[in-house]
Amino acid sequence: MHKSDFLFTSESVSEGHPDKVCDRVSDAVVDIYLGKDPVSRVAVETLVTTNLIVLAGETRCSEEVTPEELEAAARSAVKDIGYDQDNFHWQNSDVQVHVHSQSADIAQGVDAAGNKDEGAGDQGIMFGYASDETDVLMPAPIHYSHLILKDMAAARHAGNLPGIGPDSKSQVTLQYVQDKPVGATSVVVSTQHDDNLSQDDVRELVRPFVENALPEGWMCPDEELYVNPTGKFVIGGPDGDAGLTGRKIIVDTYGGAAPHGGGAFSGKDPTKVDRSAAYISRYLAKNVVAAGLSRACTIQLAYAIGVSKPLSVYVNTHETGNVDEDKLSSVLQDLVDLSPRGIREHLGLSRPIYARTAAYGHFGRIPEDNGGFSWERTDIAADLKSAFGAS
């Protein structure tokens, strides 16, 4: 039986979280390659720990990309995040680059040749989701978790949050009544800080960001606002905990409110369906909800390596829809070519637009004039309405 009254929790992590540092570096590498050659192949992972940054993976590009360029990109990303600490410094950390050419076996399966269209870069399943809980059609818990940390980071970069470091986490628990969020029951924020700040000092610095992020009347009880519940968070970032690319996939997507296929996004060029098919799945689901055909929608796509067409296209409107789901699946496939090449061209993905996606979620963002977050457009909503005779 469907439960309509419940609590649901999602978490976010900041750009300075060790895993997010890695995502940022790996996506900066993707942008370098795509900036030189839009059909580059990139699969690069990053590891960070105390004063060490390691890049490893495989690439292919028609233009030369030197290890020195990759090192410079890694340092620039870390500097932009704000790490100039003794044990993790953008300038002083050791950077190791272990990047080699793409496997010929993978290349022959993926590349277009003769009558063969470009195939998927790997097998896998990808999910997209949208809900009318927020104005950006995202689940509310992850949306507000992101917003708290994004606003804190903006204040920190502007010099308006003295004593607060780059590494932070948030967690928002919302009360749902009749499937709709009505308020927060608890909020957790843990943030790195200078040694001279007490727990109470940090709490008062953080509180306004929580209050401003949540809708009016949604603030949790004061005793349910947990700020640095361990009491102290001075040693943070990669010095406090090693980081790896691709370990925050639920933070990157829907905060657990929807399925995830398992593949990470960062460090991968858009021929990798782990990334591009997850983006187009979100795009399709968002347009379904934006068209008013349902209040919530999940899309699943499945691919095989080297095969261009999706093996399946699944649509679930969670009993909130007013159209036939099988017909909706067919209409979506008529409107958008779901081959890897079709996805890339429809969303304009072969551009250096990825470093900006590495923190605060890949979804629920604002489409940008230069092509960033193109999967957040709702430009086929009118076509969907027309297909179903909706006004």
Side-chain angles (χ1 to χ4, degrees):
M1 179 180 294
H2 175 69
K3 186 176 181 181
S4 62
D5 297 351
F6 54 91
L7 300 180
F8 194 84
T9 304
S10 294
E11 70 159 348
S12 180
V13 299
S14 72
E15 60 189 3
H17 185 281
D19 295 331
K20 279 291 149 200
V21 173
C22 294
D23 287 345
R24 173 69 174 272
V25 171
S26 289
D27 275 339
V29 170
V30 172
D31 284 352
I32 285 180
Y33 278 92
L34 293 178
K36 293 195 174 193
D37 178 1
V39 294
S40 292
R41 301 292 189 263
V42 186
V44 172
E45 314 297 337
T46 303
L47 175 149
V48 294
T49 186
T50 302
N51 275 336
L52 177 65
I53 305 167
V54 180
L55 279 65
E58 57 181 30
T59 62
R60 187 178 72 192
C61 185
S62 63
E63 302 290 333
E64 182 183 14
V65 178
T66 67
E68 291 75 18
E69 288 178 274
L70 299 182
E71 176 181 341
R75 294 191 187 280
S76 178
V78 172
K79 180 182 181 181
D80 191 57
I81 291 168
Y83 275 113
D84 54 6
Q85 300 168 2
D86 288 343
N87 291 323
F88 193 72
H89 196 292
W90 67 270
Q91 193 171 32
N92 301 331
S93 292
D94 180 26
V95 179
Q96 300 179 10
V97 178
H98 304 279
V99 176
H100 60 272
S101 297
Q102 182 189 48
S103 160
D105 290 346
I106 293 177
Q108 72 176 355
V110 175
D111 291 347
N115 293 325
K116 174 184 174 296
D117 195 8
E118 175 186 300
D122 201 353
Q123 73 175 48
I125 57 174
M126 299 82 205
F127 288 93
Y129 181 75
S131 166
D132 66 359
E133 293 179 17
T134 61
D135 58 356
V136 292
L137 304 187
M138 284 288 288
I142 188 68
H143 175 68
Y144 297 119
S145 294
H146 285 324
L147 190 56
I148 292 167
L149 298 185
K150 191 174 183 181
D151 288 351
M152 286 177 59
R156 177 174 58 83
H157 285 298
N160 297 326
L161 200 52
I164 298 299
D167 189 2
S168 57
K169 303 175 75 171
S170 65
Q171 185 171 284
V172 174
T173 301
L174 297 185
Q175 173 75 53
Y176 282 72
V177 176
Q178 295 298 303
D179 287 322
K180 294 183 179 181
V182 297
T185 60
S186 66
V187 176
V188 183
V189 179
S190 297
T191 185
Q192 186 182 14
H193 60 89
D194 290 351
D195 200 17
N196 63 328
L197 294 179
S198 69
Q199 185 179 23
D200 288 340
D201 292 334
V202 176
R203 181 183 176 89
E204 292 314 304
L205 286 170
V206 166
R207 181 196 301 274
F209 293 94
V210 177
E211 293 173 338
N212 291 336
L214 294 172
E216 185 176 357
W218 280 34
M219 185 63 184
C220 64
D222 190 66
E223 65 272 16
E224 293 296 326
L225 173 61
Y226 302 94
V227 176
N228 284 8
T230 63
K232 191 174 183 180
F233 187 2
V234 174
I235 300 172
D239 183 39
D241 190 13
L244 291 169
T245 306
R247 287 206 299 191
K248 288 293 176 285
I249 57 177
I250 301 304
V251 170
D252 285 343
T253 55
Y254 308 103
H260 192 294
F265 304 155
S266 292
K268 299 176 182 177
D269 73 80
T271 68
K272 312 296 193 289
V273 285
D274 276 344
R275 180 167 223 157
S276 57
Y279 287 175
I280 201 72
S281 297
R282 160 65 178 175
Y283 172 79
L284 297 177
K286 186 175 183 181
N287 274 269
V288 168
V289 176
L293 303 184
S294 68
R295 290 185 48 236
C297 181
T298 296
I299 305 284
Q300 185 206 53
L301 303 178
Y303 291 86
I305 188 169
V307 179
S308 62
K309 67 179 181 67
L311 306 185
S312 64
V313 180
Y314 165 83
V315 178
N316 184 351
T317 56
H318 304 281
E319 300 181 354
T320 69
N322 49 37
V323 297
D324 180 78
E325 291 174 344
D326 290 336
K327 181 180 178 181
L328 181 54
S329 174
S330 178
V331 169
L332 290 171
Q333 292 175 74
D334 289 340
L335 290 174
V336 180
D337 178 357
L338 296 178
S339 68
R341 182 197 300 274
I343 295 169
R344 200 175 68 247
E345 292 178 350
H346 187 89
L347 296 180
L349 296 180
S350 298
R351 291 183 276 190
I353 56 174
Y354 295 104
R356 71 196 73 172
T357 69
Y360 314 116
H362 292 243
F363 309 129
R365 310 290 287 271
I366 304 301
E368 299 173 348
D369 292 340
N370 66 357
F373 303 104
S374 59
W375 48 92
E376 292 296 309
R377 302 188 317 242
T378 54
D379 52 347
I380 62 168
D383 294 327
L384 284 167
K385 286 183 180 181
S386 178
F388 287 94
S391 58

